[in-house]
């Protein structure tokens, strides 16, 4: 029950996983052509790093994912706040429409998006941003809607004005839900990033993976996938850290998956 | 019954329960918390015994030990002269939070213990009908718990505990969650059921009034460490249900006596250890299953 | 009467947004606000959807996509639930130690796995099923772990007091109690799966809804792209709604889900509840879809391979018209 042993257990489990990754392909239990050993993937990573390709592609991909996510936040958060907080009737009127929009897979629309926006960065940002907006908007609306009404009453009885009420009570209460949506959106951003890079263009980790597939360079696929996974994991960890900083009162920060329940009710 | 030498149904012999506590900070406070200290008690067959005490006196822990859900640090529980080793169907338990299975209908809840006992289906149905009827829930057999009120849920819990025919019924503050009026009705009902079935009942409560109204004997537990402060015989006439016995002078006197006993103990509980009842409560409620 | 009217008003208000959007979609191209070639009016799309149905190809593509999603999901459920119970209840310490690995693996991008699966299993069904299963196994696993961990301790305590065996405890108490949470995981898995599947079908398939759209795009059949995309949106929406509906039906016993009756209230006959019979019927239906769907998908794949080996860019069974469109 002490925190230290569990931390060691976790480290040991990760090490064991890495060792298995190295040993199992080497012994031929799985075909190393399909799952190359860890050292092979590391070699590919180092080689990519030395040539400068890795940093170039990773930087571009990361920028795309973050720009898409940022665009989604800039649009989705105010949209959620406005609809959830001020215009409940408009929210009712637009709810099914937004649910349908959230179902609209930007990958399917890629061809159409390319008709309108070309194959460049705008199209990629749009594809990523489109999918990320909805979890943010929905979870913001949910967060605002589920603010404890007795809390509102208490705050109002203290003579808080509308603006004060919003900044001091509603926003902090909705914050955990908003963060759940944000983290969901961040996950989607990386999924869509790869999809958008696979659809067209000539750089980025998604492109690198497709290229490697065409050249049957499996270690490179794994290297690209590993870097992408690392970026997604680090982004998620950063958001979690930010959440812990901002939302100190929410005890169950660890039970992410239970909290997803509320946000994903309407999400794609 | 098998051991004819002793008439007691339950015998609690020198029960101690000690929880190790984490030593916070640099203070050299006690490393352990004594929840129960040398508890001894005998309960006769068919007797109704109530255990009262302030929160944190270990009364729920004692009941858990009786149910076989927790192990005492030392001491034994004998039922019919035989030492218990764990939970079994010779004891039924009714808990404060109803503990019904919400995905099962009233009937399926009542039949739960019988399923574990591997009773044949036809017999199960016959038994569940009988006990649903006994607790006054005819016509609700196919309802789900969420469709029932708090009092009705507790009736289901009682029927479920009785259905597999245990000889002892252990009840842990079963009526604590229902409103005052329902509570009195449920107490009347419980006495009626007790008289009809002749079970031995150990009933834990923090309400003095409830204990005095229901029981043949009231066991008063004190806190820190939890130990038997006194045992009072309640000589109020029976049957007590559907009577106005609560407002009689005699009832009031007995009630006062128990109250004084508890007060006495409470003062001492503010002792040098500095363990508030909340700490004790937290420990006893987190006791392992 | 009044509540009926209020309900109608609410309904109209709710769907007014969709109506306004569709109106805009219709008027925009007609009034020349946007290029009608790139964005045909909505009515054209509706006609195209009917055309697709009439051609009978749409139903084949639906079947193929649904079959893939369903089988992949079944695999995920068959893996996710037992492992979720094992990690959630039987070996919680192992689960704790494994949590970083599970978290990292769940973040592995399905699209970056697609090439690996394709290399591993070839371009056939297995690669797609593997992607679908990979995507949906995580929510099923995590929700099962959470669900089995958060069973009300009082329920467990009362079951334990009857001397229940560990196996029975899992089957009779923990699993039923966790089922609503597990179902949320399955629903999330299903919606994400559908999403990824359509995308995967666009990247390489010879049938399926994603392929339909991709093929239309390759042939510059713009109304057909919109028709396919619109149909997929509606289908996805209905799928999500249907799953929510099924969840509500199955788990109507949850505490906050309906009003309570009091002891003196008249005994109402319970409304229809899913019983053993409907469970068996659902199971048989599921099995039938998996079996006959599998046969059909196999047929479709073989046909596609025989008529058009090598390339996967031609619409299954349609007259060859790719040359004319540009």
């Amino acid at each position: 029950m002490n925190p230290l042993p569990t931390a060691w257990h976790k480290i040991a489990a990760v090490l064991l996983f890495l060792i298995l990754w190295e040993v199992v392909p080497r012994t031929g239990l799985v075909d190393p052509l399909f799952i190359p050993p860890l050292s092979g993937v590391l070699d590919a990573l180092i080689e990519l790093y030395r040539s400068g390709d890795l940093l170039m592609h990773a930087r571009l991909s990361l920028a795309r994912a973050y720009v898409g996510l940022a665009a989604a936040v800039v649009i989705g958060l105010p949209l959620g706040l406005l609809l959830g907080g001020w215009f409940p009737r408009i929210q009712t009127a637009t709810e099914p429409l937004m649910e349908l929009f959230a179902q609209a897979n930007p990958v399917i629309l890629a061809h159409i998006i390319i008709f309108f926006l070309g194959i460049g960065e705008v199209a990629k940002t749009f594809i990523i941003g489109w999918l990320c907006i909805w979890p943010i908007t929905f979870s913001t609306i949910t967060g605002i809607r589920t603010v404890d009404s007795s809390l509102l009453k208490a705050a109002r009885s203290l003579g808080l004005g509308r603006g004060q009420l919003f900044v001091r009570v509603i926003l902090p209460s909705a914050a955990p839900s908003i963060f759940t949506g944000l983290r969901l959106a961040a996950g989607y951003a990386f999924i869509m990033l790869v999809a958008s890079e696979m659809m067209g263009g000539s750089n980025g980790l998604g492109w690198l993976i497709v290229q490697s597939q065409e050249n049957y360079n499996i270690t490179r696929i794994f290297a690209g996938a590993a870097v992408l996974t690392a970026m997604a994991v680090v982004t998620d960890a950063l958001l979690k850290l930010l959440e812990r900083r901002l939302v100190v009162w929410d005890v169950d920060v660890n039970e992410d998956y239970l909290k997803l329940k509320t946000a994903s009710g309407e999400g794609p | 019954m098998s051991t004819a030498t002793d008439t007691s149904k339950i015998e609690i012999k020198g029960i101690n329960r000690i929880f190790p506590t984490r030593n916070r900070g640099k203070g050299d406070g006690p490393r352990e918390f004594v929840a129960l200290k040398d508890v001894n008690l005998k309960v006769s067959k068919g007797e109704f015994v109530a255990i009262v005490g302030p929160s944190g006196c270990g009364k729920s822990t004692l009941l858990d030990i009786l149910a076989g859900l927790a192990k005492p640090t030392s001491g034994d529980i004998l039922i019919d002269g035989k030492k218990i080793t764990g939970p079994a169907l010779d004891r039924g338990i009714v808990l404060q939070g109803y503990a019904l299975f919400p995905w099962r209908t009233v009937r399926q809840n009542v039949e739960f213990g019988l399923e574990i006992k591997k009773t044949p289906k036809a017999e199960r149905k016959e038994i569940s009908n009988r006990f649903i009827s006994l607790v006054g829930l005819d016509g609700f057999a196919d309802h789900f718990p969420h469709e029932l009120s708090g009092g009705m849920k507790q009736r289901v819990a009682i029927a479920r505990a009785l259905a597999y025919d245990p000889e002892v019924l252990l009840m842990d503050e079963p009526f604590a969650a229902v409103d005052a009026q329902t509570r009195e009705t449920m107490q009347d009902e419980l006495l009626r059921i007790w008289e009809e079935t002749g079970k031995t009942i150990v009933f834990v409560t923090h309400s003095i009034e409830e204990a005095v109204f229901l029981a043949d004997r009231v066991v008063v537990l004190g806190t820190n460490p939890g130990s038997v402060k006194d045992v009072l015989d309640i000589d109020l006439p029976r049957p007590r249900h559907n009577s106005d016995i609560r407002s009689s002078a005699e009832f009031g006197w007995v009630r006062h006596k128990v109250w004084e006993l508890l007060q006495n103990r409470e003062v001492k509980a503010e002792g040098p250890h500095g363990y508030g009842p909340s700490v004790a409560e937290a420990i006893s409620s987190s006791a392992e299953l | 009467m009044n509540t009926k009217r209020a309900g109608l008003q609410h309904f109209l208000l709710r769907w007014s947004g969709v109506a306004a959007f569709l109106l805009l979609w219709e008027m925009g191209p007609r009034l020349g606000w946007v290029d009608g070639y790139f964005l045909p009016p909505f009515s054209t799309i509706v006609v195209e959807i009917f055309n697709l149905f009439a051609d009978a190809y749409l139903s084949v593509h639906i079947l193929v996509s649904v079959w893939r999603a369903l089988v992949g999901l079944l695999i995920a459920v068959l893996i996710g639930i037992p492992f979720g119970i094992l990690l959630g209840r039987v070996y919680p310490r192992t689960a704790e130690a494994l949590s970083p690995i599970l978290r990292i693996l769940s973040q592995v991008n399905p699209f970056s796995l697609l090439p690996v699966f394709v290399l591993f299993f070839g371009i056939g069904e297995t690669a797609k099923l593997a992607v679908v299963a990979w995507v949906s196994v995580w929510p099923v696993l995590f929700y099962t772990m959470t669900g089995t961990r958060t069973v009300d301790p009082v329920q467990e305590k009362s079951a334990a007091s009857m001397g229940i065996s560990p196996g029975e405890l899992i089957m009779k108490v923990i699993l039923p109690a966790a089922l609503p949470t597990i179902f949320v995981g399955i629903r999330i898995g299903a919606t994400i799966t559908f999403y990824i599947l359509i995308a995967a079908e666009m990247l390489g398939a010879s049938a399926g809804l994603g392929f339909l759209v991709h093929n239309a795009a390759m042939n510059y059949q713009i109304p057909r792209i919109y028709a396919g995309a619109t149909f997929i949106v509606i289908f996805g929406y209905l799928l999500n709604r249907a799953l929510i509906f099924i969840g509500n039906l199955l788990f109507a016993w949850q505490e906050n889900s309906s009003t309570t009756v009091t002891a003196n209230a008249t005994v109402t006959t319970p409304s229809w509840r899913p019983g053993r019979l409907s469970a068996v019927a659902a199971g048989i239906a599921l099995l039938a879809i998996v079996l006959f769907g599998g046969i059909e998908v196999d047929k479709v794949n073989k046909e596609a391979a025989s008529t058009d080996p090598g390339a996967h860019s031609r619409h299954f069974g349609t007259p060859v018209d790719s040359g004319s469109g540009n």
Side-chain angles (χ1 to χ4, degrees):
Chain A
M1 274 287 113
N2 290 328
L4 202 63
T6 40
W8 282 114
H9 285 154
K10 284 180 186 177
I11 293 166
V14 171
L15 284 177
L16 187 71
F17 175 76
L18 294 178
I19 290 168
L20 281 178
W21 187 359
E22 178 65 33
V23 170
V24 172
R26 284 208 180 277
T27 55
L29 276 172
V30 295
D31 193 336
L33 273 180
F34 293 137
I35 297 182
L38 177 63
S39 54
V41 177
L42 287 177
D43 282 346
L45 265 176
I46 291 165
E47 186 207 319
L48 276 170
Y49 177 77
R50 289 236 173 96
S51 67
D53 285 352
L54 182 69
L55 277 184
M56 190 264 285
H57 291 301
R59 205 179 285 157
L60 276 170
S61 287
L62 197 63
R64 280 171 191 149
Y66 278 16
V67 168
L69 188 61
V73 172
V74 166
I75 298 167
L77 194 63
L79 190 67
L81 293 175
L82 283 174
L83 291 177
W86 274 284
F87 305 110
R89 280 179 73 82
I90 297 182
Q91 197 259 321
T92 314
T94 50
E95 198 188 340
L97 185 66
M98 290 199 297
E99 276 181 51
L100 286 169
F101 277 167
Q103 289 288 341
N105 191 332
V107 177
I108 306 172
L109 299 176
H111 299 291
I112 294 161
I113 294 166
I114 289 167
F115 285 148
F116 283 100
L117 301 173
I119 286 189
E121 295 304 317
V122 187
K124 289 194 176 70
T125 310
F126 184 85
I127 288 176
I128 296 166
W130 178 268
L131 195 55
C132 296
I133 284 177
W134 308 112
I136 296 174
T137 309
F138 288 138
S139 64
T140 306
I141 292 173
T142 312
I144 289 187
R145 280 291 157 81
T146 50
V147 174
D148 190 353
S149 60
S150 61
L151 211 64
L152 288 179
K153 257 187 213 162
R156 220 173 266 149
S157 73
L158 292 172
L160 250 63
R162 259 189 102 113
Q164 287 270 331
L165 195 72
F166 184 76
V167 175
R168 295 191 171 216
V169 182
I170 297 176
L171 210 51
S173 306
S177 173
I178 295 174
F179 265 101
T180 310
L182 251 178
R183 289 178 56 196
L184 210 59
Y188 290 162
F190 283 96
I191 295 179
M192 290 332 278
L193 165 77
V194 177
S196 74
E197 286 176 346
M198 283 178 166
M199 298 256 107
S202 56
N203 47 37
L205 291 171
W207 176 83
L208 182 79
I209 288 172
V210 174
Q211 276 295 303
S212 311
Q213 183 197 9
E214 280 167 14
N215 301 327
Y216 292 95
N217 192 339
I218 313 250
T219 48
R220 262 197 190 188
I221 299 181
F222 273 84
V227 175
L228 272 168
T229 308
M231 292 198 310
V233 169
V234 168
T235 304
D236 190 58
L238 284 176
L239 283 173
K240 217 187 220 172
L241 199 72
L242 192 68
E243 180 178 10
R244 268 199 199 139
R245 274 287 163 85
L246 292 176
V247 194
V248 278
W249 65 91
D250 196 26
V251 238
D252 283 333
V253 182
N254 285 317
E255 289 291 353
D256 324 312
Y257 283 95
L258 200 64
K259 279 175 31 190
L260 288 182
K261 237 173 144 173
T262 42
S264 49
E266 303 97 334
Chain B
M1 303 255 267
S2 51
T3 50
T5 48
D6 199 340
T7 52
S8 53
K9 179 81 194 164
I10 309 170
E11 198 177 346
I12 301 172
K13 276 169 49 177
I15 291 289
N16 285 289
R17 180 72 173 108
I18 298 161
F19 293 101
T21 55
R22 211 179 300 171
N23 205 357
R24 281 188 205 150
K26 45 202 180 279
D28 42 26
R31 282 247 178 192
E32 49 190 31
F33 172 74
V34 183
L36 292 170
K37 192 182 177 192
D38 195 30
V39 176
N40 290 286
L41 186 69
K42 282 183 183 177
V43 181
S44 322
K45 187 172 162 52
E47 196 183 11
F48 198 129
V49 170
I51 299 175
V52 286
S55 36
C57 69
K59 53 189 191 291
S60 289
T61 310
L62 182 61
L63 204 82
D64 284 354
I65 292 173
L66 274 171
L69 293 166
K71 291 238 184 304
T73 312
S74 64
D76 287 320
I77 306 271
L78 306 181
I79 287 183
D80 291 328
K82 266 192 268 173
K83 199 181 147 182
I84 65 155
T85 52
L89 290 169
D90 60 348
R91 282 150 284 152
I93 189 162
V94 180
L95 300 163
Q96 180 184 337
Y98 315 130
L100 297 181
F101 303 114
W103 56 90
R104 288 173 160 250
T105 60
V106 168
R107 179 192 305 289
Q108 288 166 340
N109 262 289
V110 173
E111 289 179 4
F112 190 84
L114 299 169
E115 279 177 34
I116 294 175
K117 225 174 158 180
K118 306 268 183 289
T119 309
K121 205 172 174 182
E123 201 179 324
R124 274 202 321 246
K125 182 157 187 183
E126 189 255 314
I127 294 172
S128 60
N129 274 339
R130 185 148 41 100
F131 283 98
I132 289 168
S133 172
L134 177 74
V135 296
L137 285 179
D138 284 308
F140 287 96
D142 294 323
H143 280 257
F144 280 90
H146 75 92
E147 297 166 313
L148 307 177
S149 67
M152 290 162 85
K153 281 183 204 164
Q154 203 52 278
R155 286 167 196 259
V156 179
I158 293 171
R160 183 179 62 185
L162 289 171
Y164 50 85
D165 199 27
E167 288 171 55
V168 176
L169 196 58
L170 306 169
M171 307 183 86
D172 188 3
E173 307 217 23
F175 308 141
V178 297
D179 61 275
Q181 215 179 333
T182 313
R183 192 172 179 151
E184 288 197 1
T185 319
M186 291 303 296
Q187 289 167 358
D188 282 342
E189 285 284 288
L190 179 62
L191 283 184
R192 179 181 63 76
I193 291 164
W194 174 59
E195 269 156 36
E196 276 181 42
T197 56
K199 303 283 178 198
T200 311
I201 297 183
V202 178
F203 189 102
V204 162
T205 176
H206 65 257
S207 158
I208 303 168
E209 187 153 1
E210 186 166 71
V212 171
F213 176 73
L214 292 171
D216 295 324
R217 278 193 300 156
V218 172
V219 179
V220 181
L221 288 190
T223 33
N224 214 356
S227 56
V228 177
K229 168 82 185 147
D230 211 337
V231 180
L232 269 101
D233 289 314
I234 312 292
D235 292 324
L236 298 171
R238 290 205 188 261
R240 295 177 198 159
H241 54 279
N242 302 324
S243 74
D244 199 18
I245 198 164
R246 286 189 188 87
S247 51
S248 72
E250 220 182 337
F251 186 88
W253 186 81
V254 180
R255 224 200 82 197
H256 182 72
K257 206 169 152 191
V258 179
W259 183 79
E260 270 197 326
L261 277 167
L262 280 167
Q263 283 309 96
N264 222 347
R265 202 62 195 177
E266 290 264 38
V267 177
K268 270 194 184 167
E270 296 287 320
H273 293 318
Y275 270 116
S278 56
V279 174
E281 188 77 320
I283 292 169
S284 75
S285 64
S286 65
E288 72 269 36
L289 289 175
Chain C
M1 211 53 208
N2 231 345
T3 53
K4 212 172 180 179
R5 236 183 104 165
L8 184 70
Q9 266 175 1
H10 182 75
F11 177 82
L12 288 178
L13 179 67
R14 242 176 88 78
W15 289 92
S16 62
V18 176
F21 174 76
L22 293 182
L23 197 69
L24 214 65
W25 188 351
E26 182 66 33
M27 299 308 285
R30 288 207 185 279
L31 298 177
W33 297 340
V34 290
D35 191 335
Y37 178 73
F38 286 128
L39 180 61
F42 182 63
S43 50
T44 313
I45 309 302
V46 174
V47 172
E48 187 63 28
I49 291 179
F50 276 106
N51 282 342
L52 282 176
F53 261 119
D55 285 352
Y57 304 131
L58 186 58
S59 50
V60 173
H61 292 296
I62 294 170
L63 180 78
V64 170
S65 288
V66 168
W67 181 82
R68 283 173 186 153
L70 203 67
V71 174
L73 204 60
L74 270 176
I75 296 169
V77 164
L78 289 179
I79 296 171
I81 293 179
F83 274 95
I85 293 171
L86 276 179
L87 290 174
R89 288 306 297 223
V90 188
Y91 303 111
R93 286 181 73 89
T94 312
E96 180 78 7
L98 286 180
S99 66
I101 293 174
L102 294 178
R103 198 153 294 265
I104 289 168
L105 285 180
S106 71
Q107 295 269 8
V108 171
N109 200 305
F111 287 115
S112 58
L113 276 179
L114 190 61
V116 179
F117 284 147
V118 168
L119 287 171
F120 212 116
F121 301 113
I123 203 150
E125 292 305 315
T126 325
K128 273 163 222 114
L129 293 182
V131 168
V132 168
W134 175 269
V135 171
S136 42
V137 80
W138 299 108
V140 175
L141 178 75
F142 287 130
Y143 275 84
T144 306
M145 283 167 70
T146 310
T148 50
R149 270 184 198 156
T150 49
V151 178
D152 187 352
V154 175
Q155 285 169 9
E156 278 183 55
K157 193 173 170 179
S158 82
S161 76
M162 301 178 203
I164 196 166
S165 68
E168 264 184 319
L169 183 72
I170 285 176
M171 293 312 292
K172 282 183 187 271
V173 180
I174 290 169
L175 200 57
L179 224 46
T181 312
I182 296 175
F183 192 78
V184 173
I186 294 176
R187 189 161 66 76
I188 290 172
T191 40
I192 299 176
T193 283
F194 195 65
Y195 224 87
I196 303 289
L197 173 67
I198 302 289
E201 285 175 345
M202 298 194 69
L203 293 169
S206 52
L209 290 169
F211 165 78
L212 179 73
V213 174
H214 180 72
N215 185 256
M218 290 295 108
N219 297 332
Y220 294 100
Q221 298 164 308
I222 292 175
R224 186 165 277 193
I225 301 179
Y226 282 101
T230 307
F231 183 77
I232 290 168
V233 166
I234 295 168
F235 195 78
Y237 179 82
L238 291 179
L239 185 79
N240 198 25
R241 287 280 128 184
L243 284 170
I244 291 173
F245 177 77
I246 292 170
N248 288 343
L249 199 69
L250 287 178
F251 308 120
W253 49 261
Q254 286 189 89
E255 279 298 334
N256 48 11
S257 64
S258 112
T259 50
T260 57
V261 294
T262 47
N264 47 8
T266 50
V267 178
T268 49
T269 47
S271 54
W272 181 81
R273 289 185 178 117
R276 191 153 299 198
L277 200 71
S278 41
V280 170
I284 289 171
L286 209 65
L287 208 69
I289 293 175
V290 169
L291 263 176
F292 293 109
I295 293 165
E296 190 69 18
V297 168
D298 193 47
K299 210 168 83 189
V300 168
N301 281 339
K302 277 192 184 128
E303 216 160 311
S306 64
T307 51
D308 200 36
H312 63 260
S313 57
R314 193 166 298 160
H315 182 200
F316 161 69
T318 37
V320 181
D321 57 1
S322 51
S324 59
N326 47 22

